[in-house]
Amino acid sequence: MLIDTNSMISMTDANQNFSKVARLVDKNGMAVILKNNAPKYVVLEYNQVESNEISENDLLEASKKLIDQNRKAYRVLAE
């Protein structure tokens, strides 16, 4: 993940001024909270997280599809 330095904020600043964190998220799409000068937390808009989620059913469906498409290769590898 590439982190824009403009979206970073210290834990102290985030703790004292959460509205500043919210403004960073609105402006940059995310805020990275630093603890001991290292990235520790990422704050995103809820709809951004929701749109990137992969459901367990989608994952199982994709796995089954790959197994069906490559069944011959899997059998050869299993020998």
Side-chain angles (χ1 to χ4, degrees), residues 11 31-35 38-43:
M11 178 71 82
V32 178
I33 300 174
L34 306 171
K35 185 172 184 180
K40 183 71 175 179
Y41 304 102
V42 176
V43 180

Side-chain angles (χ1 to χ4, degrees), residues 26-66:
D26 290 340
K27 182 180 176 185
N28 301 320
M30 72 157 64
V32 178
I33 300 174
L34 306 171
K35 185 172 184 180
N36 298 325
N37 293 324
K40 183 71 175 179
Y41 304 102
V42 176
V43 180
L44 302 169
E45 286 184 5
Y46 180 77
N47 62 0
Q48 195 173 4
V49 174
E50 190 176 52
S51 66
N52 290 328
E53 284 185 6
I54 299 175
S55 74
E56 188 174 326
N57 289 337
D58 292 339
L59 191 57
L60 288 173
E61 186 176 318
S63 297
K64 287 178 185 179
K65 191 178 208 179
L66 285 171

Side-chain angles (χ1 to χ4, degrees), residues 3-9 24 28 30-33:
I3 300 172
D4 180 3
T5 56
N6 294 324
S7 65
M8 294 180 171
I9 187 167
L24 282 174
N28 301 320
M30 72 157 64
V32 178
I33 300 174

